[in-house]
Amino acid sequence: MRFGDLKIPQKLMVVFGVMLTAIVVMGVTLFINQQAYKGSVQRTAVAHASLRSADTAAFRLTRQENSLRGFLLSGDAYYVDRLENAHKPKFLAALDELRTLAGKDEADLARIAAVDAAYANYRAVAIEPAEKLGADPATRVQAIDLVKHDGVADKAVEPVENAIEAITNDAEAVVAAETAAQAAASLRSTLVLAIGIGVTLAVAIAGGLMLTGGIAAPVAAMTTAMRRLAAGDNSVAVPASGRKDEIGEMAGAVATFKDAAIHKLRLEEEAAAAAARTERERVEREAEKAAEAEVDRIAITALAEALGSLADGDLTYRINAQFAPKAQQLKSDFNAAAGRLQDALRGINGATGGIRAGSEEIAQASDDLSRRTEQQAASLEETAAALDEITATVRKTAAGAKEASSVVAAARADAERSGAIVSQAVSAMTEIEQSSGQIGNIIGVIDEIAFQTNLLALNAGVEAARAGDAGKGFAVVAQEVRALAQRSAEAAKEIKTLISTSSQQVGAGVALVGQTGEALQRIVDQVATIDSLVTEISASATEQSTGLHQVNTAVNQMDQVVQQNAAMVEEATAATHSLKGETGELAALVGRFKVGAESAARATAPVAAPRANPVHAAQARAQTFVRPGRPGGAATAAATKVDEWEEF
């Protein structure tokens, strides 16, 4: 069946059905793609949370190592308290958060279990023995051996670090894969939207052209033909005579109406001729034709009344008067023509009622479609606003990461300066140790001088004893010199003992300062690693901000396209209301004819006023995209107003 053979409601339903199908397919496809995109964003958020938890676990593990070394270096129990009550709980809390994020993923849970096992081994072979041995000064050296570069601590902590790194690598791979998936989803949304818009535009344009050519143009031509026929132009050609829809039925009824008007004129001409003949013969046969003249007068009067009723639009009027045999055919022809015209206009009334009902249903469907399109536009507008807020939050996160990178860089510089200061302290302690050695040598020389003085005093005493009384004073002097030499020797010995003890303490201090310098160097290296990690996090946050900005732009474009669709639906609704008004005008024209009680009541029923259009808000938002309105409506309604058919 061709499109032109369909009824008018069927044509409208086909056009709007195709348009609605295209819009529904586009909407369903975009909804499915949006759901996939949301899932990808959620997985990306989980991966980022896993990265943060893994970084926290690695950081707390490093703090435990530093606290352990601080305890072994100073012997202060404060570091054990920090290790057990601060860093360890936060490390375990980070692992618990990783388990929560992993959910039921066996691979992630296996990697977290590997971290647990390696950490338990690290505590068993390094932390707990070091805490026990370091608490006793006698066994602290053994505890220090555990954390040396070739000790068991470094070997035990390496599996823990490797297991945490495996979790980090897996989360980074998930982030990379989901970023690619989000880009693909955005591209699919753009393609579906572009194709849907193109198909919708094509269907709307093609449907408008088909409806204009299949309904509006024939109805306008039919209105013109009926106006000319009402004005008495019986030579007008009836358009759309071969159509099979309501317009074809209207064309058949108008053709019957035209034939009746022509037949009426012919009857009038014949009646005028008969009257003339009667008038000419009246003089000759007035007496004998009186009865025949009376019959003719009755027939003409009845025919005139019938034609007057027909001119007034009363198609129910029939000639009931008794005609002479010669005029009986005229009565039969008039009654038959009036009956056929009544049947034709009754059919037109029924078709007009169907058209009006179909137009009202289409107008209702267009209003509902406009309202749903407006709701979809409002939802997209809210989505765009939410994406704006998310983009601002990610940008703020990127700025915080950059600021953290600056703080870590400053901490690294301070740590490097502290390492340089410790190196200078080591050099100063070494010089003090060398000076102590030189003082010890000097004290040795003083001790030898005291020994020699004591020996000389002893020899002097011997010589004074030999001298007798003359050497008593010299003996006293020698005795005092000897006593002074002995005190000098004792003092030198005490000083030497003190310097030896000081040298040992300085040596221990040099060793401890050297270890401090090594620890500070390791801290510098770790701060450098943290600096690089924070820099990578800042770059990743910046990339996320850029990606969300692109998604925000795509959603804003979708919002604009939906506003355009709302404007197009409003145009279709306006066209439907215009068609509804034109159908009402046609029903009013046909309703002027009396074709029976039932049809007259249906033809003269008031046409429901068009409801308020519910998409004015959408049109106001998309007014820059609305095309000029199609000519019609009030202008067409004004053009279809005709004078009463008083002369018919």
Side-chain angles (χ1 to χ4, degrees):
M1 180 181 292
R2 296 185 303 107
F3 181 78
D5 295 336
L6 297 176
K7 300 296 184 180
I8 292 178
Q10 294 175 347
K11 291 178 182 178
L12 296 174
M13 291 179 63
V14 167
V15 173
F16 284 100
V18 174
M19 184 182 299
L20 286 175
T21 301
I23 294 174
V24 168
V25 170
M26 179 179 67
V28 170
T29 305
L30 288 175
F31 176 77
I32 294 173
N33 195 60
Q34 183 68 17
Q35 293 300 316
Y37 183 82
K38 288 182 179 178
S40 177
V41 170
Q42 184 177 5
R43 290 190 292 273
T44 302
V46 172
H48 282 300
S50 299
L51 281 174
R52 289 193 298 271
S53 299
D55 290 341
T56 301
F59 174 71
R60 292 302 170 183
L61 180 64
T62 303
R63 294 297 300 273
Q64 292 182 61
E65 292 183 84
N66 294 339
S67 297
L68 181 62
R69 291 190 177 96
F71 169 67
L72 297 179
L73 180 63
S74 63
D76 191 351
Y78 164 77
Y79 292 102
V80 175
D81 181 68
R82 292 284 296 170
L83 188 152
E84 296 295 337
N85 298 324
H87 304 317
K88 176 185 174 183
K90 292 181 179 179
F91 175 81
L92 297 178
L95 293 183
D96 292 338
E97 185 176 358
L98 285 172
R99 289 190 189 93
T100 302
L101 293 172
K104 298 182 180 180
D105 193 329
E106 297 295 336
D108 290 344
L109 294 175
R111 283 188 284 269
I112 298 171
V115 176
D116 276 336
Y119 177 70
N121 180 65
Y122 173 55
R123 288 190 58 86
V125 302
I127 295 178
E128 295 175 356
E131 290 176 351
K132 183 182 296 184
L133 295 175
D136 188 357
T139 58
R140 185 174 297 167
V141 176
Q142 298 178 11
I144 293 175
D145 291 338
L146 294 175
V147 297
K148 287 184 177 180
H149 65 88
D150 56 349
V152 297
D154 284 346
K155 296 179 181 179
V157 78
E158 184 177 359
V160 185
E161 295 173 344
N162 293 338
I164 294 175
E165 185 178 1
I167 294 174
T168 302
N169 293 336
D170 179 71
E172 290 175 349
V174 171
V175 170
E178 295 302 330
T179 300
Q182 292 171 15
S186 178
L187 178 60
R188 286 195 300 271
S189 296
T190 303
L191 291 177
V192 169
L193 196 59
I195 294 173
I197 291 172
V199 171
T200 303
L201 285 175
V203 171
I205 293 173
L209 293 175
M210 294 174 67
L211 291 176
T212 300
I215 298 176
V219 168
M222 186 67 65
T223 302
T224 302
M226 293 177 69
R227 186 182 298 112
R228 292 176 58 187
L229 188 60
D233 186 4
N234 294 324
S235 63
V236 64
V238 179
S241 299
R243 295 172 64 103
K244 297 181 180 180
D245 56 358
E246 291 87 346
I247 297 175
E249 295 176 356
M250 291 170 60
V254 172
T256 302
F257 189 74
K258 175 184 174 182
D259 294 340
I262 294 173
H263 186 64
K264 168 194 171 266
L265 292 177
R266 187 172 62 251
L267 290 178
E268 289 179 349
E269 292 175 355
E270 292 178 356
R277 287 195 303 272
T278 303
E279 183 66 22
R280 287 193 302 268
E281 294 174 355
R282 183 180 61 82
V283 177
E284 300 173 356
R285 299 180 300 172
E286 184 176 3
E288 58 188 20
K289 297 293 184 182
E292 185 176 356
E294 181 65 17
V295 172
D296 290 339
R297 184 188 64 79
I298 294 172
I300 293 172
T301 302
L303 183 59
E305 291 177 356
L307 291 176
S309 298
L310 184 62
D312 292 336
D314 186 6
L315 300 181
T316 61
Y317 185 86
R318 298 291 185 272
I319 298 175
N320 296 321
Q322 295 296 327
F323 279 19
K326 64 179 181 179
Q328 188 65 35
Q329 184 63 35
L330 179 62
K331 172 183 176 182
S332 300
D333 291 343
F334 177 85
N335 289 338
R340 288 195 299 271
L341 187 58
Q342 180 183 6
D343 294 337
L345 286 178
R346 184 181 290 112
I348 292 174
N349 281 335
T352 303
I355 293 173
R356 183 170 62 247
S359 300
E360 290 178 354
E361 292 176 358
I362 294 170
Q364 177 67 28
S366 298
D367 293 341
D368 294 340
L369 177 61
S370 299
R371 183 168 56 256
R372 289 194 295 271
T373 305
E374 182 182 5
Q375 293 174 355
Q376 184 180 9
S379 299
L380 274 177
E381 187 174 359
E382 293 177 358
T383 303
L387 279 177
D388 285 336
E389 295 178 358
I390 294 173
T391 303
T393 303
V394 173
R395 287 178 179 171
K396 184 177 180 181
T397 303
K402 289 182 180 179
E403 184 178 355
S405 178
S406 301
V407 173
V408 171
R412 178 181 178 184
D414 293 339
E416 290 176 351
R417 286 196 297 273
S418 299
I421 293 171
V422 170
S423 298
Q424 295 176 2
V426 171
S427 300
M429 295 293 287
T430 303
E431 292 177 357
I432 293 172
E433 185 179 13
Q434 294 175 358
S435 299
S436 299
Q438 293 175 0
I439 293 172
N441 294 332
I442 295 171
I443 295 302
V445 173
I446 294 173
D447 191 18
E448 291 179 0
I449 293 171
F451 177 75
Q452 294 295 331
T453 303
N454 189 16
L455 184 59
L456 290 175
L458 180 61
N459 290 333
V462 172
E463 294 297 330
R466 288 178 181 177
D469 293 336
K472 287 184 179 180
F474 187 75
V476 173
V477 173
Q479 185 66 28
E480 292 297 329
V481 170
R482 183 178 178 185
L484 181 61
Q486 287 179 351
R487 287 197 301 272
S488 298
E490 292 175 357
K493 186 180 295 184
E494 291 177 0
I495 293 173
K496 187 174 183 180
T497 301
L498 291 174
I499 290 175
S500 177
T501 303
S502 177
S503 297
Q504 292 178 358
Q505 292 176 352
V506 169
V510 169
L512 293 176
V513 171
Q515 294 177 3
T516 302
E518 294 176 358
L520 282 175
Q521 183 60 40
R522 287 192 295 272
I523 290 174
V524 169
D525 296 338
Q526 292 169 358
V527 169
T529 302
I530 293 173
D531 186 18
S532 62
L533 291 175
V534 172
T535 302
E536 292 177 359
I537 291 172
S538 177
S540 177
T542 303
E543 293 177 358
Q544 292 175 13
S545 177
T546 303
L548 281 176
H549 178 69
Q550 294 175 354
V551 172
N552 189 17
T553 303
V555 172
N556 288 331
Q557 292 176 354
M558 292 169 61
D559 187 19
Q560 294 178 359
V561 171
V562 172
Q563 300 294 344
Q564 294 176 0
N565 289 342
M568 292 171 56
V569 170
E570 184 177 6
E571 291 181 4
T573 304
T576 304
H577 284 293
S578 176
L579 177 61
K580 180 179 177 182
E582 293 173 356
T583 304
E585 289 292 336
L586 178 61
L589 288 175
V590 176
R592 293 172 181 165
F593 294 95
K594 296 180 180 179
V595 294
E598 179 182 357
S599 298
R602 183 169 60 249
T604 58
V607 180
R611 298 187 307 163
N613 199 329
V615 297
H616 289 314
Q619 182 186 23
R621 290 194 301 271
Q623 59 184 355
T624 56
F625 306 103
V626 178
R627 297 173 296 175
R630 178 178 62 83
T636 305
T640 56
K641 292 182 178 179
V642 296
D643 297 332
E644 297 289 339
W645 292 5
E646 297 176 352
E647 300 299 330
F648 181 75

